[in-house]
Amino acid sequence: MLRRRENIQLKTPDQLRSMRKAGLVVAAGLAAVAEAARPGVSTAELDLIARRVLAEAGAVSSFLGYSGPPPFPAVLCSSRNARVVHGIPSPDDVLADGDLLSLDFGAIVDGWHGDAAVTVAVGEVGFEARALSQACRDALWDGIAAARVGGRLTDISNAIQTSVRSSGGYGIVAGYGGHGIGTAMHMDPHVPNYGRAGKGPRLVGGMTLAIEPMITLGSAETRELADNWTVETIDGSLAAHWEHTVALLPDGLWVLTAEDGGRAELTARGAPVSALAD
Ligand code: MG
């Protein structure tokens, strides 16, 4: 079988320090929009808050004007309930008590990208929805903790799948996954959220990956809406989505979009944190 050779961008420690600046803007933006996500607030208002965070940091959006047609019209993706990813903020999209909301945000500082997502509960959310989001967050961190220099890409994929399976009978969204990131938001390699371990490119120091499991309470199948962006579950089941941008180094990991560099969750899983994160 002929395979396309992956073109994976490697970063120096100084370049990773620059990416960290973008990562911290993303962390601050997600904290601000998550805090503001209350019943009665529109997703357009959340997008405005995210725009303010970018402006105050002197950062540029990774998402605004992205790809298309049509180009993505916002700096934030807001995907409620059965919407999985790439939801477009709108004044008509008003949050209601009990919504499960995925918020995905990207920032560019000095040409370097950061990308992360959280799923938040709006008001009082049911047990099943909370468990779904928790399972997705656990899968993200289990996937991150499985990344190590000398390993292979799908060690991460398999750790995500194993984590999701250990949490319950959730659908792991097919057709979407994580990605390399650096001087562009979406770069090689594609990071699947399931599969056998020990496959794909060798993991080497200086790689940066956006790892992003997406899981559902039902089917793994999705469809794209007529806006050419919003992805929703085909069976209308609830979805959750969590994401971080992670740097791999010979001495450990540095989660660039986590305020603590990933220390708490990595340490809890026995995974080493790079000295660069100090
Ligand atoms: Mg991403």
Side-chain angles (χ1 to χ4, degrees):
M1 188 175 80
L2 243 113
R3 292 187 57 177
R4 187 175 68 95
R5 194 168 163 76
E6 305 257 13
N7 182 17
I8 300 176
Q9 183 182 59
L10 303 180
K11 289 85 179 172
T12 65
D14 272 348
Q15 290 171 332
L16 291 176
R17 287 185 193 100
S18 294
M19 278 189 77
R20 172 63 165 166
K21 291 180 191 165
L24 286 173
V25 174
V26 171
L30 284 176
V33 291
E35 169 71 25
R38 305 259 172 84
V41 173
S42 77
T43 52
E45 291 174 71
L46 299 183
D47 186 63
L48 274 179
I49 292 169
R51 286 175 193 249
R52 208 173 300 138
V53 170
L54 289 171
E56 280 167 9
V60 176
S61 173
S62 301
F63 294 6
L64 185 66
Y66 184 84
S67 186
F72 195 77
V75 305
L76 183 74
C77 294
S78 56
S79 309
R80 290 201 290 146
N81 300 329
R83 297 175 175 187
V84 184
V85 286
H86 306 164
I88 300 174
S90 160
D92 303 325
D93 188 33
V94 177
L95 302 179
D97 190 52
D99 279 346
L100 194 64
L101 173 68
S102 153
L103 297 164
D104 192 343
F105 183 50
I108 311 170
V109 175
D110 298 333
W112 296 98
H113 289 247
D115 184 12
V118 296
T119 291
V120 299
V122 179
E124 288 298 316
V125 169
F127 170 79
E128 269 198 316
R130 275 184 284 130
L132 173 74
S133 179
Q134 185 63 47
C136 191
R137 186 181 187 279
D138 288 344
L140 168 62
W141 282 104
D142 289 343
I144 294 171
R148 55 181 46 85
V149 166
R152 300 283 286 267
L153 183 76
T154 67
D155 298 351
I156 300 167
S157 315
N158 185 258
I160 290 170
Q161 179 178 13
T162 303
S163 177
V164 173
R165 291 283 165 264
S166 77
S167 293
Y170 300 115
I172 302 178
V173 171
Y176 296 88
H179 48 92
I181 181 168
T183 52
M185 178 165 60
H186 292 135
M187 307 182 83
D188 281 343
H190 174 67
V191 186
N193 288 322
Y194 46 85
R196 287 168 57 193
K199 306 278 181 191
R202 182 77 59 192
L203 300 177
V204 301
M207 268 189 184
T208 48
L209 302 173
I211 300 174
E212 49 179 324
M214 293 151 242
I215 66 173
T216 80
L217 279 181
S219 173
E221 300 301 317
T222 59
R223 66 173 154 237
E224 202 174 84
L225 300 191
D227 63 17
N228 276 323
W229 281 107
T230 311
V231 176
E232 68 174 19
T233 56
I234 211 146
D235 60 359
S237 64
L238 281 183
H241 172 217
W242 285 83
E243 177 180 19
H244 271 304
T245 296
V246 182
L248 281 74
L249 291 145
D251 67 337
L253 301 167
W254 187 10
V255 183
L256 301 172
T257 46
E259 207 166 338
D260 73 345
R263 188 168 305 277
E265 296 288 346
L266 292 174
T267 304
R269 288 165 175 80
V273 179
S274 170
L276 274 185
D278 292 341

